[in-house]
Amino acid sequence: MGKSLRNWSKTVKTPRRPFEKERLDHELRLCGEYGLRCKREVWRVHYALTKIRGAARELLKLDEIDPKRIFEGNAMLRSSSLD
């Protein structure tokens, strides 16, 4: 028996109100516009962006000369650039 290679971290956060009309319409429009297969893909991208925004907020709390802020901030900018 080998190791289990499964990742146990969350990738999707489902909405609190499952049948909110405005949100449903917006998600359907996003699926059609970007060619997503299902609502779960919309939720996955939303969850990823939420984590990135949270990390950015934490970095902004640090001093401007803090080495962690400089290093991780530059890494975050490099990873988010769309070339």
Side-chain angles (χ1 to χ4, degrees):
M1 297 288 198
K3 285 185 175 181
S4 175
L5 299 177
R6 184 159 177 148
N7 186 5
W8 297 103
S9 63
K10 288 189 174 189
T11 58
V12 175
K13 185 170 188 273
T14 58
R16 288 185 186 198
R17 298 185 182 104
F19 299 110
E20 190 175 26
K21 177 141 179 61
E22 293 174 3
R23 185 189 49 78
L24 288 172
D25 292 340
H26 181 68
E27 288 174 352
L28 189 61
R29 195 172 337 116
L30 287 175
C31 285
E33 185 176 343
Y34 296 105
L36 303 176
R37 289 182 299 143
C38 57
K39 301 287 182 74
R40 181 169 290 185
E41 290 182 350
V42 175
W43 301 338
R44 182 185 312 151
V45 172
H46 187 266
Y47 184 65
L49 289 174
T50 301
K51 290 198 306 188
I52 291 170
R53 278 196 313 266
R57 278 192 211 107
E58 290 298 318
L59 288 177
L60 287 173
K61 288 180 186 176
L62 301 174
D63 270 344
E64 289 185 17
I65 58 173
D66 189 3
K68 179 179 179 181
R69 177 176 172 171
I70 294 170
F71 181 74
E72 290 185 13
N74 289 337
M76 188 178 293
L77 289 174
R78 277 194 310 274
S79 69
S80 68
S81 67
L82 300 173
D83 293 325

